[in-house]
Amino acid sequence: MRRWRTRRRRSQMDVALAANLSTRHLSCIETGRATPSRNMIERLCDELDVPLRERNALYLAAGYAPVHGERPLADLGAARAAVTAVLAGHEPSPALAVNARWELLAANRAATFFLADLPPALCDPPMNVLRATLHPDGLSRRIRNLTQWRAHVRRRVGRQLARTAAEGLADLLSEIESYPAPEDHIEKDPTTDLVVPLLLSTDHGDLSLLYTTTVFGSPRDVTLDEIAIETFFPADTRTADLLRSMTG
């Protein structure tokens, strides 16, 4: 609990007041001199925005059974149907669903089109989307603004690691940072100052893509808590026309 409070840059007094307990009681919980109730763990986790996977670890540390289940995406019923609907409805633009470690859970036909020519070593399940994208043998060969895009991805993963402490994410970030520095790529997109785009070279022409990230609100399942849907949009009319022609 102290680790999460420190990660959130919160003082004991601040958290204690927000969770309606004394600073002394919180100190005793953090040092193991007091065992919190289930309700107290839930209140503190809500206040510190602790991910569900880590909440289960805190329940176990206090001697309780984990509260949040973890089912595969295929067993998530209506939530799985929602993911499928978003992916299919986003055609002809690419969209994919990943977990907290950026492992591919599902993708629409347009996204599969871009991943089709990757070497087998980068496609072994579970495919890691960031590795497949930024590895020198991966999609990075087609990214025209690789220097700009890789810097953006590194910052994003760093923020995600600070917020979630997801297992394996630190190793993934270190791996990305170890890839050779990009060469012979343009530094930035000259056409837009709205967002950092993904500039992708294809056999059909160059694409300029924006992206959004969608997560589930109020998840109670660990898998659902860690799912993110990455949806890409054309940044110009030429890209929109190319996407329609490329996906048939």
Side-chain angles (χ1 to χ4, degrees):
M1 194 66 75
R2 173 183 290 173
R3 180 169 60 90
W4 280 103
R5 179 178 59 76
T6 303
R7 184 179 290 273
R8 298 296 185 245
R9 296 181 171 87
R10 302 278 298 275
S11 68
Q12 279 189 341
M13 180 176 292
D14 180 30
V15 174
L17 288 173
N20 195 27
L21 74 159
S22 69
T23 305
R24 177 179 174 79
H25 190 185
L26 178 57
S27 176
C28 288
I29 290 174
E30 290 185 352
T31 57
R33 289 176 293 169
T35 301
S37 65
R38 284 179 175 272
N39 180 261
M40 180 61 68
I41 294 174
E42 183 176 5
R43 282 158 53 191
L44 290 170
C45 286
D46 284 344
E47 186 59 34
L48 295 172
D49 192 26
V50 178
L52 300 191
R53 183 180 299 278
E54 296 296 322
R55 295 189 187 205
N56 279 346
L58 290 172
Y59 283 113
L60 283 172
Y64 304 119
V67 170
H68 303 286
E70 182 179 2
R71 290 165 286 181
L73 178 59
D75 295 340
L76 291 182
R80 169 57 194 260
V83 172
T84 301
V86 171
L87 297 181
H90 199 62
E91 298 279 5
S93 297
L96 44 87
V98 297
N99 62 19
R101 295 168 298 284
W102 289 87
E103 294 166 345
L104 183 65
L105 300 177
N108 66 4
R109 189 165 59 94
T112 303
F113 179 87
F114 290 102
L115 301 174
D117 63 345
L118 293 175
L122 295 178
C123 297
D124 290 341
M127 175 193 285
N128 188 283
V129 172
L130 294 190
R131 182 178 295 116
T133 303
L134 297 177
H135 191 280
D137 296 330
L139 200 61
S140 64
R141 295 170 297 175
R142 293 183 177 271
I143 300 177
R144 294 170 51 231
N145 61 331
L146 183 56
T147 299
Q148 181 188 37
W149 184 255
R150 191 173 81 158
H152 163 70
V153 170
R154 287 169 59 190
R155 288 193 299 270
R156 182 180 176 188
V157 176
R159 291 194 299 268
Q160 180 186 356
L161 177 61
R163 185 181 64 83
T164 67
E167 183 179 359
L169 205 55
D171 292 337
L172 179 62
L173 182 58
S174 296
E175 179 184 335
I176 292 172
E177 292 173 339
S178 72
Y179 294 157
E183 297 180 1
D184 300 325
H185 291 79
I186 65 173
E187 288 297 319
K188 61 180 181 179
D189 175 26
T191 64
T192 179
D193 58 357
L194 297 176
V195 298
V196 175
L198 174 61
L199 303 180
L200 205 58
S201 176
T202 75
D203 296 337
H204 302 270
D206 292 339
L207 304 176
S208 180
L209 299 167
L210 318 177
Y211 80 91
T212 64
T213 303
T214 303
V215 297
F216 282 91
S218 304
R220 298 292 294 170
D221 179 272
V222 171
T223 299
L224 201 61
D225 186 43
E226 295 179 345
I227 289 177
I229 304 175
E230 305 286 322
T231 48
F232 290 84
F233 293 84
D236 52 44
T237 55
R238 183 173 180 274
T239 296
D241 292 340
L242 276 173
L243 287 173
R244 282 192 292 269
S245 64
M246 289 168 61
T247 57

